[in-house]
Amino acid sequence: MYKNNYPSKLLEEAVDAISSLPGVGNRSALRLALHLLKQPQENVHHFTAAINALRDEVHYCKECMMISDGELCSVCSDKSRDHRTICVVENVRDVMSIENTGQFRGVYHVLGGIISPINGIGPSDLTVSQLVSRVKGLCADCAEGETSGIEVILALSGDVEGETTSFYIYRQLARFGVKISSLARGLGFGDDLEYADSLTLGRSLTNRQIFRPQ
Amino acid sequence: MYKNNYPSKLLEEAVDAISSLPGVGNRSALRLALHLLKQPQENVHHFTAAINALRDEVHYCKECMMISDGELCSVCSDKSRDHRTICVVENVRDVMSIENTGQFRGVYHVLGGIISPINGIGPSDLTVSQLVSRVKGLCADCAEGETSGIEVILALSGDVEGETTSFYIYRQLARFGVKISSLARGLGFGDDLEYADSLTLGRSLTNRQIFRPQ
């Protein structure tokens, strides 16, 4: 039988590396390694070079902490967007999801995570202080008492950790007197009442809205 | 909205590269790319170096075409194995599966695929000619009429392509007068009759064996 079940040390090392990816087990890793082995050499080099380039050369926008090719991301450098409406999200994928809706014309702030004591992630591991200085800066640019145009939207997940993070940020920003909102929670569009969980249904009732035919 | 929905060209290129892997869609590729982005730089470099090393430096055993670190794989260079029993398999994974059973003391021959006209794979794309010269060489080493100790086991899959390949190899080897066998087909151990497909059950009946209590 092969040592550690692999016929080659190189194969074993590649499988180990690939199976370190989340959601990729040993079997899938072996399948992927043997797939890569069958590809033309230049394709494999292109594959690894793209990953190295991402890790080595990617920038984070100095305003919103989003992944970016330059100093400022394409959203923050877009003059036509509303720089006084900041949407606070957990990560890069959330920004992409919201951008895909095409409904948001403001800018973002990427926290880079969510407060989670169980995973040892506290406020100092996130970009909360950068958010506070950003809001402070925006307020300083305003005339006295004219901070009403500034809005921070807390677009975090609806679980305990998301709520905790929202509350923490709320407390940090409350002193600036800016508008702080959060995403609407309720039944999804097209959702069937029958299949909604009771918490969502209950909150949807409590937070009911004036009916406005469109 | 971001160009092509990606905030960074580097991210897009990495996602494109990762989603070229079989069974990895765009969403999973994005998740993996962002995971790699969060890892320490040296881990990512180790990951890509392991893949490059596999592609650039791996050898194939000159006897059996198995992946190997040297000229001969660990099975072919093992003097204690039976070099006159050759198990013909489709690919590297099949060798690993059979090695894992611990039941086989012979050597292998990796075809590198299976005859599949629909995928444009003919006998010349496989290592059939190497197998033929290998068997020819073994026969040449034998005394006249003493080829009875040589056995070729066709361990290919039981579908049409596997059967076609087995038949093709059988015809190529028949003239040497060596023993040619194939894997036993039937119900799996522990299988329930009720859930067996009728083809397997029918063949299991036809190929029934003398009952030998162990």
Side-chain angles (χ1 to χ4, degrees):
Chain A
M1 222 176 291
Y2 292 120
K3 209 173 158 189
N4 302 327
N5 296 330
Y6 289 102
S8 144
K9 187 113 195 70
L10 291 166
L11 180 64
E12 183 178 356
E13 282 171 1
V15 169
D16 280 351
I18 297 172
S19 63
S20 72
L21 295 173
V24 181
N26 262 327
R27 271 181 104 91
S28 310
L30 176 61
R31 199 168 49 86
L32 294 176
L34 293 175
H35 166 84
L36 287 167
L37 198 52
K38 273 191 182 174
Q39 302 309 304
Q41 198 164 27
E42 59 178 60
N43 290 19
V44 176
H45 287 177
H46 176 82
F47 170 83
T48 52
I51 291 171
N52 280 338
L54 174 68
R55 182 63 190 79
D56 298 346
E57 293 164 31
V58 86
H59 287 78
Y60 292 89
C61 172
K62 63 173 183 169
E63 274 286 295
C64 71
M65 314 296 152
M66 179 63 180
I67 288 175
S68 162
D69 284 330
E71 265 215 324
L72 276 181
C73 73
S74 53
V75 170
C76 286
S77 56
D78 183 350
K79 291 263 193 297
S80 74
R81 299 194 60 138
D82 176 8
H83 287 251
R84 290 159 67 91
T85 304
I86 301 174
C87 182
V88 179
V89 294
E90 183 181 338
N91 58 40
V92 170
R93 269 187 292 172
D94 296 336
V95 174
M96 293 172 69
S97 299
I98 296 178
E99 279 301 283
N100 279 339
T101 68
Q103 301 282 313
F104 185 62
R105 296 299 305 158
V107 293
Y108 294 94
H109 192 88
V110 180
L111 288 179
I114 205 153
I115 297 174
S116 168
I118 215 164
N119 294 317
I121 301 172
S124 59
D125 299 312
L126 312 178
T127 61
V128 178
S129 61
Q130 287 94 324
L131 175 65
V132 173
S133 359
R134 216 175 143 188
V135 172
K136 200 173 175 180
L138 276 178
C139 291
D141 292 345
C142 292
E144 184 85 28
E146 268 205 355
T147 55
S148 55
I150 301 172
E151 178 172 359
V152 175
I153 305 171
L154 301 172
L156 302 174
S157 49
D159 53 12
V160 176
E161 295 171 341
E163 296 283 343
T164 308
T165 312
S166 292
F167 186 65
Y168 180 84
I169 295 173
Y170 172 80
R171 286 215 308 196
Q172 299 285 310
L173 297 180
R175 62 189 157 114
F176 298 112
V178 299
K179 184 172 167 186
I180 301 175
S181 59
S182 72
L183 292 184
R185 305 267 174 210
L187 289 179
F189 282 89
D191 270 12
D192 205 323
L193 251 68
E194 196 179 340
Y195 302 113
D197 65 292
S198 55
L199 188 64
T200 300
L201 188 55
R203 295 241 177 128
S204 277
L205 259 176
T206 314
N207 301 333
R208 63 190 176 278
Q209 299 161 322
I210 301 295
F211 185 66
R212 274 176 298 212
Q214 286 170 339
Chain B
M1 223 176 291
Y2 292 119
K3 208 172 159 191
N4 301 328
N5 295 332
Y6 289 102
S8 144
K9 187 112 193 70
L10 292 167
L11 180 64
E12 184 179 353
E13 282 170 2
V15 169
D16 281 352
I18 297 172
S19 63
S20 73
L21 296 173
V24 181
N26 262 327
R27 272 182 103 90
S28 310
L30 176 61
R31 197 168 51 86
L32 293 176
L34 294 175
H35 166 84
L36 287 167
L37 197 52
K38 272 190 181 175
Q39 302 309 303
Q41 198 164 27
E42 60 179 59
N43 291 19
V44 176
H45 287 177
H46 175 81
F47 170 83
T48 53
I51 292 171
N52 279 338
L54 173 68
R55 182 64 190 79
D56 298 347
E57 292 163 32
V58 86
H59 287 77
Y60 292 89
C61 172
K62 64 174 183 170
E63 275 287 293
C64 70
M65 314 297 152
M66 180 63 180
I67 289 175
S68 162
D69 285 330
E71 265 214 326
L72 276 181
C73 73
S74 53
V75 171
C76 286
S77 56
D78 183 349
K79 292 263 192 296
S80 75
R81 297 192 64 135
D82 175 8
H83 287 251
R84 291 158 68 90
T85 304
I86 301 175
C87 181
V88 179
V89 294
E90 184 181 338
N91 58 40
V92 170
R93 269 186 290 171
D94 296 336
V95 174
M96 293 172 70
S97 299
I98 296 178
E99 279 301 283
N100 279 339
T101 67
Q103 300 283 312
F104 185 62
R105 296 299 306 158
V107 293
Y108 296 93
H109 191 88
V110 181
L111 288 179
I114 205 154
I115 296 174
S116 168
I118 216 165
N119 295 316
I121 300 170
S124 59
D125 299 311
L126 312 179
T127 62
V128 179
S129 61
Q130 287 94 323
L131 174 65
V132 173
S133 359
R134 216 176 143 187
V135 173
K136 200 173 174 180
L138 275 178
C139 292
D141 291 345
C142 292
E144 185 87 27
E146 269 206 358
T147 55
S148 56
I150 302 173
E151 178 174 358
V152 175
I153 305 170
L154 300 172
L156 302 173
S157 47
D159 54 12
V160 177
E161 295 169 340
E163 295 285 343
T164 308
T165 312
S166 292
F167 186 65
Y168 179 84
I169 294 173
Y170 172 80
R171 286 215 310 195
Q172 298 286 311
L173 297 181
R175 62 191 157 114
F176 297 112
V178 299
K179 183 173 169 189
I180 301 176
S181 58
S182 71
L183 292 185
R185 306 266 174 211
L187 289 179
F189 282 89
D191 271 12
D192 204 325
L193 251 68
E194 196 179 341
Y195 303 114
D197 65 292
S198 55
L199 188 65
T200 299
L201 187 54
R203 296 242 177 126
S204 278
L205 260 176
T206 313
N207 301 333
R208 64 191 176 277
Q209 300 161 321
I210 300 295
F211 184 66
R212 273 177 297 214
Q214 286 171 339

